[in-house]
Amino acid sequence: MSIFALQSLVGGFLDEDLEHFNKKFDDWCIQFESYDDAMDIMQTLENQESIDIVEITPLSYPKYFFTNLQGTIYATRQIEDKIICIVEPVMGSNFRIAICDLKTSNVRLTKTHYRSIPSAEGAFANFSE
């Protein structure tokens, strides 16, 4: 499960108007089901040398695949059919571990709160349901 997008070399994803680049990948960004489809559109654009085709997967960009996932994501990994993330739900809040189910697209936060990234990373590295 992956999608392709056009990204500026200085950052940002091409918007559906094919003129502007959004800093974050969201519903307004143009997306493609295959690399070839992305290449067809990229070849119609000016400044092609400053645009790259990127593949977005649940591991590389979980917020797109899991719309209920809120906050800043610091790390991701896959365990079977789940994407596990370290998340800061709100800026300045404690860190949590999010469990994102690839089959159902459901997101669940664990009950444990972590005060620092190192403590969350320890739990993240040894995580199992």
Side-chain angles (χ1 to χ4, degrees):
M1 170 188 343
S2 63
I3 57 175
F4 296 86
L6 301 177
Q7 184 177 35
S8 168
L9 295 180
V10 296
F13 297 94
L14 188 62
D15 206 339
E16 63 185 5
D17 63 7
L18 301 178
E19 293 181 17
H20 302 97
F21 287 89
N22 292 348
K23 183 176 180 180
K24 292 191 176 190
F25 190 83
D26 58 23
D27 291 338
W28 300 107
C29 294
I30 190 167
Q31 56 186 289
F32 306 93
E33 292 184 12
S34 73
Y35 181 89
D36 292 335
D37 291 345
M39 180 59 80
D40 289 345
I41 295 298
M42 188 173 87
Q43 291 173 344
T44 67
L45 302 173
E46 295 179 23
N47 301 325
Q48 293 175 25
E49 62 280 351
S50 66
I51 301 172
D52 197 12
I53 298 172
V54 294
E55 182 177 12
I56 298 173
T57 67
L59 276 176
S60 66
Y61 212 91
K63 284 179 90 167
Y64 178 77
F65 286 91
F66 304 102
T67 55
N68 294 336
L69 184 59
Q70 299 297 313
T72 304
I73 300 166
Y74 291 94
T76 62
R77 72 179 210 181
Q78 185 169 353
I79 300 176
E80 297 176 12
D81 60 347
K82 295 186 177 33
I83 303 295
I84 312 302
C85 309
I86 296 176
V87 178
E88 182 181 25
V90 178
M91 194 162 121
S93 68
N94 289 329
F95 300 95
R96 306 277 297 273
I97 293 180
I99 303 161
C100 308
D101 191 308
L102 288 167
K103 291 181 181 177
T104 64
S105 295
N106 289 335
V107 174
R108 179 175 60 87
L109 294 176
T110 59
K111 293 180 181 182
T112 307
H113 295 254
Y114 303 93
R115 290 182 181 240
S116 66
I117 286 281
S119 62
E121 285 176 338
F124 176 75
N126 298 308
F127 185 83
S128 65
E129 278 196 294

